[in-house]
Amino acid sequence: IMDDRSTTITELKKIVEDFVNERDWSQFHNPKNLSMALAIEASELMDIFKWNTTQECESMMSEKNTRQDATDELADIMIYALAFSNRNNINISSAIEKKMIKNRKKYPTEKFKGHF
């Protein structure tokens, strides 16, 4: 069983790339299609919780079926994000590192701690 503590991003990217290659789907994996698929999967995750209060949503995550549905949608989001990075030669670790530097400058702790 794979675990976040021991599975690398490179391993995940390879799993996704192998799956795509086995099906000859890379021909469909352009930035437009992958970004749209990513947004669609994100909206499917949001759909699970629509019309519910924050408290209801938090409670729903304790329910086995809802938790599994949300987990599946999150996996789909991650799969498309990995596929996007594969197809466009994006180093995810470097991208996150650079973006967090920008975020720290844009949202300094002393100004944004505890509020937006």
Side-chain angles (χ1 to χ4, degrees):
I1 291 183
M2 297 174 75
D3 186 271
D4 286 352
R5 292 171 290 193
S6 59
T7 306
T8 68
I9 293 172
T10 299
E11 290 170 324
L12 293 174
K13 288 174 80 169
K14 183 177 182 338
I15 290 167
V16 171
E17 188 67 8
D18 289 348
F19 182 88
V20 169
N21 288 338
E22 289 164 2
R23 287 152 184 81
D24 192 27
W25 285 353
S26 61
Q27 63 183 312
F28 308 112
H29 282 195
N30 58 65
K32 177 189 72 75
N33 288 347
L34 288 170
S35 65
M36 290 175 69
L38 185 56
I40 290 164
E41 294 301 338
S43 69
E44 289 178 4
L45 178 59
M46 291 187 304
D47 191 51
I48 294 169
F49 303 104
K50 76 176 178 208
W51 311 123
N52 293 291
T53 66
T54 301
Q55 186 176 5
E56 289 169 336
C57 292
E58 290 173 0
S59 176
M60 290 168 67
M61 283 304 292
S62 298
E63 299 168 10
K64 185 178 179 182
N65 289 341
T66 301
R67 184 172 187 81
Q68 187 58 57
D69 290 345
T71 299
D72 287 346
E73 296 306 338
L74 179 60
D76 286 338
I77 292 164
M78 296 299 296
I79 289 164
Y80 279 118
L82 292 165
F84 189 93
S85 71
N86 282 341
R87 201 58 51 235
N88 295 285
N89 299 314
I90 295 171
N91 180 310
I92 294 172
S93 297
S94 176
I96 290 172
E97 179 182 39
K98 290 174 182 175
K99 182 60 177 172
M100 290 307 295
I101 290 169
K102 290 179 183 179
N103 286 345
R104 283 187 181 89
K105 289 178 182 174
K106 186 174 181 179
Y107 305 105
T109 304
E110 59 276 2
K111 188 173 179 184
F112 288 91
K113 188 170 185 171
H115 59 85
F116 290 101

